[in-house]
Amino acid sequence: MQRIPLQFMIAILTACTAISCLAGVEMPRSGKFDFNFCFAADSNYTAFTDKAGLGSFTNVAAIHSRQPGGPFDLQGAHCFGYFSNVEGQYSESGYCEMQDTDGDKWIMKFDTGADAVSGSWKAVAGTGKYDGLAATGAYQPLGNVPSAVAGKVARCNRNTGSYQMR
């Protein structure tokens, strides 16, 4: 029988303890939120003319509450959407699937404004504790983030708003 090194056992116990500390996410039933949503995106764009083009994107993101342990803190997200720029009028819409450490999920529908960087969103569906979630928010970029990978877009948006859970 092979012996397991003590350091390995300590590392496993430490990891298990850390993971169990994240389980059982509790949020107040209602309130205000203020979180940063940081993402890396792949984007595709097709220019039809010098005045019209369409595109799509997917991204993965992490949410970090500006108040430690605040609403929606440390959730992950996967988003997809589309955008257009026709005759100088920018339009962007999409959806994000959010997930907390318990595995409960909710869907955000977002629309970016004509400035191409800020916008609004609302919760449209949820599972587990997020079933019946009513939430609305607004977002704006915290600044430009250089992408370490060519062809990727990186950015953090500050999100503020309110929510009500069943």
Side-chain angles (χ1 to χ4, degrees), residues 52-77:
L54 304 172
S56 64
F57 61 89
T58 62
N59 70 42
V60 293
I63 294 175
H64 186 260
S65 177
R66 294 172 63 93
Q67 318 157 94
F72 309 110
D73 196 22
L74 301 178
Q75 292 189 5

Side-chain angles (χ1 to χ4, degrees), residues 25-157:
V25 175
E26 293 293 327
M27 256 174 45
R29 305 304 296 163
S30 65
K32 301 228 180 265
F33 59 81
D34 186 352
F35 60 77
N36 292 337
F37 184 92
C38 297
F39 64 89
D42 288 310
S43 179
N44 299 298
Y45 182 75
T46 301
F48 291 100
T49 69
D50 61 345
K51 295 182 180 180
L54 304 172
S56 64
F57 61 89
T58 62
N59 70 42
V60 293
I63 294 175
H64 186 260
S65 177
R66 294 172 63 93
Q67 318 157 94
F72 309 110
D73 196 22
L74 301 178
Q75 292 189 5
H78 174 239
C79 307
F80 60 93
Y82 55 90
F83 58 96
S84 65
N85 194 349
V86 178
E87 299 290 329
Q89 298 296 310
Y90 185 83
S91 176
E92 178 181 316
S93 295
Y95 293 88
C96 294
E97 175 188 11
M98 320 298 242
Q99 182 172 327
D100 69 17
T101 57
D102 289 338
D104 292 333
K105 299 177 181 183
W106 59 282
I107 296 174
M108 165 198 291
K109 182 188 181 322
F110 64 90
D111 294 292
T112 299
D115 67 357
V117 292
S118 62
S120 61
W121 62 264
K122 67 179 180 175
V124 295
T127 67
K129 71 177 78 60
Y130 304 112
D131 182 23
L133 172 66
T136 58
Y139 57 92
Q140 61 185 30
L142 292 171
N144 294 321
V145 177
S147 178
V149 178
K152 301 261 188 205
V153 175
R155 189 168 73 219
C156 289
N157 290 332

